[in-house]
Amino acid sequence: MLASKVAGRGALAVHVYISEGRDRALVSRLSAAGAAAGAAVANEFLDAAYHRAGVTFASSDAGRLEAAVAAACQEALNALDLRGHRASHPRVGVVDHVACNPLGVATREEAGRLA
């Protein structure tokens, strides 16, 4: 796990996209798992047509953010079975995409280290 704090008034955001866009309770559990690991839940959305959801976590502590993403992904992997999944959006798995982005004065290099 990363132990670095992001310098100054910066923070990092991680967008986690999951192949589930219709079960609000499950997406809320994913958000709660990340929050319990110490990151703030900055955004949560469900897209029923694509059958995909996104949760955005943010923190100035990269270690907490890494733990939040791992917890949310583990919860998704434990809960979802794609054998019956039907959607218009292509997917590569239960956890479809994870993107790390700098916020404030945080740098792309800091986001890259987290990735």
Side-chain angles (χ1 to χ4, degrees), residues 11-85:
L12 298 172
V14 177
H15 312 285
V16 180
Y17 296 95
I18 305 295
S19 294
E20 173 54 63
R22 299 175 185 143
D23 185 344
R24 165 78 52 202
L26 173 61
V27 175
S28 292
R29 284 199 332 257
L30 303 178
S31 294
V41 177
N43 188 43
E44 178 181 294
F45 76 90
L46 280 79
D47 187 327
Y50 275 14
H51 204 355
R52 188 177 190 206
V55 178
T56 303
F57 298 106
S59 180
S60 62
D61 184 310
R64 286 185 182 182
L65 197 50
E66 181 182 8
V69 170
C73 290
Q74 186 62 58
E75 181 72 23
L77 290 167
N78 289 339
L80 294 173
D81 180 352
L82 293 184
R83 289 177 284 193
H85 188 273

Side-chain angles (χ1 to χ4, degrees), residues 98-110:
V98 177
C100 301
N101 298 289
L103 300 174
V105 298
T107 65
R108 289 181 306 189
E109 291 75 19
E110 289 170 314

